[in-house]
Amino acid sequence: MKKLLLLSLLAVFSVSANAMPVPTAPTLDAHSYVLMDYQSGEIIASMNPDERVQPASITKLLTIYIAFDQIKKGQLKLTDTALVSKKAWMQGIDSSESRMFLEVGTRVTISDLLRGIIIDSGNDAAVALAEDIAGSEDLFAQMMNQYAKKLGMDHSHFADASGMPNPEHYVTARDVATLTRALIQNFPQLYKIFSEKDFKYGKVATQHNRNGLLWKDPTVDGLKTGHTQAAGYCLVASALRDGRRLISVVMGAQSWANRESYSLELLNYGFRFFETDQMFGPQQPVSTVRVWKGAEEQLPVGVTPAVVMALPQGSRSQLKYTTQVTTVPVAPIAMGQKLGTVSITLDGKVIRTEPLVALKAIPQGSLWQRLSDSVQMMISR
């Protein structure tokens, strides 16, 4: 029976002579950074990815996420209007904080507030939106932490909707990348607002998007800048090139110029030296295994859904994989039933382990087939 339980198959790809040498990840003069492959969610490069940092207006990405989610669920509409409170109106009125220049007592559409946050980075717009959704900014902050937990932002905590300095208000670069990926993934239509370069509200002069990369690189289509003295200069960017998307998060650079140049450096590094590959899937069996007491003897096994990985350019053909069947395949077998594991290795290191599952259903065989296989299994035991 051990032979049946520990069936192990090894498939080896040939080594490619076209693999590209990958230089070390960029060293940046910033608090932390993360470069993420959007499709796989894998981190390509990072520096201090789990270090707590002040987020400044990067906070507004979560504020926007909540609003987008409320819209998707039908609990909020772009045409709804929010009343501008005195608290919202006063945000930045006596300082250099970013503002949409709302007027107290007026009503503003949710559509305009979203653009006031995304394009103008308006603290007044963030507070007005938070108050409209939750009734108060304090209650909205509770919602932010609830959403953060659901998104897997395990090392972040929020105290307000706009990102004012507060020791209880912090994020990590990894958590911000996780949030950004979810925002793009879950709200593709609303995400397009992040690529808009200008916004004019009422009689106020047109304001330009603070993300300068929108002008410097046509493949960049978002997302958000942030700056306070405590946080430094921050920028979350995303670019789409030839159908492949990357996300960069730079926290705590020394200037706005640095945050832009660093972000481009990371994006160029990721696009130049890495690729996104899809392996296996329901139409690509890894192998076949012997089925006992079934209407068929051979069962295709593999991985579902398809495995998506960010790999160094040209290294796909250097991958090796090992499948291990740990459960005796006895019919009936359901499609998707777990039978073991698949381990993927590169340069001798396991880089991914996935469940090995049945890619088709196999019902029980005839009485004769079941009796015959029972005898064979007893002999093997």
Side-chain angles (χ1 to χ4, degrees), residues 108-161:
V108 188
T109 65
I110 300 302
S111 176
D112 281 348
L113 285 179
L114 290 172
R115 286 169 170 79
I117 299 171
I118 293 171
I119 300 172
D120 301 346
S121 196
N123 289 357
D124 51 354
V127 173
L129 183 61
E131 291 178 337
D132 184 72
I133 291 175
S136 72
E137 190 177 15
D138 288 340
L139 289 178
F140 187 78
Q142 293 183 32
M143 290 182 65
M144 295 175 79
N145 290 309
Q146 292 167 356
Y147 268 85
K149 184 176 181 180
K150 289 181 180 179
L151 289 167
M153 300 173 68
D154 298 329
H155 302 287
S156 299
H157 188 267
F158 298 88
D160 62 67

Side-chain angles (χ1 to χ4, degrees), residues 1 26 36 61 75 80 101 105 147 211 216 324 378:
M1 184 63 74
M36 175 183 280
L61 289 177
Q75 297 170 351
D80 288 346
F101 295 98
Y147 268 85
N211 181 4
K216 293 182 178 181
Q324 187 174 39
M378 290 177 65

Side-chain angles (χ1 to χ4, degrees), residues 249-287:
V249 178
V250 174
M251 306 298 290
Q254 300 303 309
S255 69
W256 66 265
N258 284 345
R259 72 185 177 191
E260 291 183 4
S261 64
Y262 292 165
S263 298
L264 277 181
E265 184 177 355
L266 288 174
L267 292 170
N268 290 335
Y269 173 79
F271 282 117
R272 180 71 180 91
F273 296 108
F274 290 82
E275 60 188 3
T276 305
D277 283 302
Q278 180 172 301
M279 301 176 60
F280 310 134
Q283 306 305 319
Q284 300 179 36
V286 176
S287 185

Side-chain angles (χ1 to χ4, degrees), residues 131-323:
E131 291 178 337
D132 184 72
I133 291 175
S136 72
E137 190 177 15
D138 288 340
L139 289 178
F140 187 78
Q142 293 183 32
M143 290 182 65
M144 295 175 79
N145 290 309
Q146 292 167 356
Y147 268 85
K149 184 176 181 180
K150 289 181 180 179
L151 289 167
M153 300 173 68
D154 298 329
H155 302 287
S156 299
H157 188 267
F158 298 88
D160 62 67
S162 56
M164 301 303 294
N166 185 324
E168 296 303 315
H169 191 99
Y170 52 82
V171 299
T172 68
R174 188 192 304 274
D175 281 356
V176 172
T178 298
L179 166 62
T180 302
R181 181 173 184 247
L183 195 156
I184 299 171
Q185 197 169 48
N186 295 337
F187 315 108
Q189 295 303 314
L190 290 168
Y191 172 69
K192 295 177 182 178
I193 300 175
F194 283 94
S195 64
E196 296 180 12
K197 295 180 177 180
D198 307 285
F199 177 58
K200 179 176 174 57
Y201 172 70
K203 298 179 181 179
V204 180
T206 299
Q207 295 197 61
H208 303 296
N209 198 313
R210 284 160 172 73
N211 181 4
L213 295 188
L214 294 176
W215 284 267
K216 293 182 178 181
D217 187 331
T219 69
V220 173
D221 55 11
L223 291 150
K224 191 74 189 70
T225 62
H227 172 254
T228 63
Q229 186 173 357
Y233 290 84
C234 309
L235 174 57
V236 180
S238 184
L240 183 65
R241 300 180 188 176
D242 298 323
R244 180 168 173 245
R245 180 179 291 281
L246 295 180
I247 295 167
S248 65
V249 178
V250 174
M251 306 298 290
Q254 300 303 309
S255 69
W256 66 265
N258 284 345
R259 72 185 177 191
E260 291 183 4
S261 64
Y262 292 165
S263 298
L264 277 181
E265 184 177 355
L266 288 174
L267 292 170
N268 290 335
Y269 173 79
F271 282 117
R272 180 71 180 91
F273 296 108
F274 290 82
E275 60 188 3
T276 305
D277 283 302
Q278 180 172 301
M279 301 176 60
F280 310 134
Q283 306 305 319
Q284 300 179 36
V286 176
S287 185
T288 58
V289 297
R290 169 72 159 90
V291 176
W292 302 91
K293 303 183 181 182
E296 300 178 45
E297 285 193 355
Q298 296 299 316
L299 169 68
V301 292
V303 177
T304 57
V307 175
V308 181
M309 303 177 67
L311 298 167
Q313 285 278 1
S315 67
R316 168 67 184 268
S317 59
Q318 300 180 33
L319 295 178
K320 301 178 182 180
Y321 65 88
T322 304
T323 63

